[in-house]
Every structure is written in C-alpha cells, then in structure tokens.
Amino acid sequence: MTTLNPGDKAPEFSMPTDSSGTVTLSDFKGKSVVLYFYPKDDTPGCTKEAIGFSGKIDEFEAAGAVVIGVSKDTAAKHGKFRTKHDLKVILASDAEGDVCERYGVWKEKSMYGRTYMGIERATFLIGPDGKIKKTWPKVKVAGHAEDVLEAVKA
C-alpha cells in the first residue's frame, strides 16, 4: 500500500479527460497541481466537492494552480457530469485504477456491514517542483476547497 507524504516525488500520471484530451503531470512543470480523488460522478458528496473547486477556479488559477479531479468513471461520464453542473475543473478518468493505486487512494471500504474496494476521497497538493507539498486523506467535503486554496496560496 502506497502512502505519499510531503516531500515525496509525486507519481507521474497520464489520463484521458472529459474534453477528449489527456492530462499528464509533467504538462504542469512549474505550476502547483491540486489532484483530488473522488469516488463517483454525480453523487451528492462528489458533486458538492467538484462544485466547490469549480467555484474557486479563478482563485486557484490566480495562485498558479491547476485543479484535476480523478475518479474511475469514464471520460464520457465525466463530460456529462461537467455539463450538468457547469464544472470548471479538469476531470480525468482513471478507469484502470493504476493512478489511484500509485497515490494510495484505492482502499477497502465498508458500508452497511459489507466491505468492498473503492476510492477514498483524498487530495494532494503537488508543488511546482513535482513534490507533494500537502495531503488531505479521508476528506470531508464541507470547507475543503477553501482549505486547499489556503494551502496553495501559502
């Protein structure tokens, strides 16, 4: 099980996006990257989180940061999610789950006494040098975008 800590080199990634391109960590050398993992498009918590980041996208960009949301949903499903909620963040598809594995967010979860594997809601702030600056494991959605923005500006 991978655990990434501040100071660790962020694992490289390349994933398809909802806008039929790909997003690669090395595309953002010299910029901060907010990489947030969420379980599923169009569920209440995930929608609130995406809208929270989207509502602050101008401030993230002004602070020199790009925001990328990652789930195992397909790029096509991400496109519908973006359109339905007018989202402004990049949505990347990790359908195979290898980026989730490398960032240590693919975890055993339980609900109603049943255990299953799923994405643990987590966020990573990657500095312009490609190293992890801060991590937020087991994210609670309320106020999260604001906390991350504060860290980007710090």
Side-chain angles (χ1 to χ4, degrees):
M1 176 60 75
T2 305
T3 302
L4 295 172
N5 297 301
D8 291 347
K9 180 145 182 51
E12 181 58 64
F13 59 78
S14 183
M15 295 176 279
T17 67
D18 61 299
S19 53
S20 42
T22 58
V23 63
T24 305
L25 180 58
S26 56
D27 291 343
F28 302 107
K29 254 190 182 39
K31 285 188 117 176
S32 292
V33 175
V34 173
L35 189 66
Y36 78 94
F37 292 86
Y38 64 98
K40 196 167 179 53
D41 287 345
D42 235 355
T43 56
C46 298
T47 300
K48 280 187 190 121
E49 186 175 28
I51 289 171
F53 279 118
S54 291
K56 301 214 169 295
I57 198 68
D58 292 342
E59 292 175 72
F60 279 104
E61 289 172 354
V66 62
V67 181
I68 304 168
V70 180
S71 80
K72 289 183 76 171
D73 290 309
T74 64
K77 191 159 186 235
H78 282 339
K80 290 177 185 157
F81 184 44
R82 167 186 300 289
T83 302
K84 181 176 179 181
H85 299 286
D86 193 28
L87 302 176
K88 308 291 184 216
V89 297
I90 297 167
L91 297 176
S93 173
D94 183 29
E96 302 301 313
D98 63 307
V99 178
C100 290
E101 289 275 356
R102 282 186 274 144
Y103 278 81
V105 300
W106 187 246
K107 305 249 177 142
E108 186 175 276
K109 301 168 92 178
S110 67
M111 186 185 294
Y112 308 121
R114 183 178 73 86
T115 60
Y116 61 97
M117 295 301 289
I119 294 175
E120 177 181 271
R121 192 182 308 277
T123 302
F124 298 85
L125 174 56
I126 302 166
D129 59 357
K131 291 186 177 173
I132 305 285
K133 279 180 73 174
K134 188 166 168 88
T135 63
W136 290 264
K138 298 182 182 174
V139 165
K140 299 289 181 238
V141 174
H144 182 58
E146 293 79 2
D147 289 348
V148 175
L149 180 59
E150 211 173 277
V152 168
K153 289 178 174 178

